[in-house]
Amino acid sequence: MTGYPQSLKYFMWPWQVYYRISCQTTAESLFDSLDRGLKPNVFLMGFQIDNDNTLPQICIDPED
């Protein structure tokens, strides 16, 4: 896929990494306004809802 980082083995949609990064920076900004000691860690989890057996049942980003 063009414009998508190739580091993920599985993915839910082409721009999920950028969405997760956006959520991470938003969470960091929000938590910093409450207490700078809070360190949020955002991840995405997706579940397959159709019967496509070519994709994994669950996808997590980041994978590690």
Side-chain angles (χ1 to χ4, degrees):
M1 278 180 248
T2 306
Y4 187 77
Q6 297 300 315
S7 61
L8 291 176
K9 184 175 179 182
Y10 305 110
F11 55 90
M12 295 168 275
W13 75 90
W15 305 107
Q16 78 185 37
V17 171
Y18 303 108
Y19 175 75
R20 181 182 50 79
I21 291 169
S22 175
C23 290
Q24 179 71 41
T25 57
T26 300
E28 288 170 356
S29 176
L30 174 66
F31 280 67
D32 279 349
S33 69
L34 299 172
D35 181 346
R36 289 207 177 265
L38 299 173
K39 303 294 182 195
N41 188 16
V42 172
F43 66 95
L44 300 177
M45 180 178 277
F47 301 91
Q48 187 182 63
I49 59 173
D50 60 12
N51 292 328
D52 183 357
N53 293 328
T54 63
L55 299 172
Q57 296 275 329
I58 299 172
C59 288
I60 300 173
D61 181 5
E63 291 177 336
D64 57 357

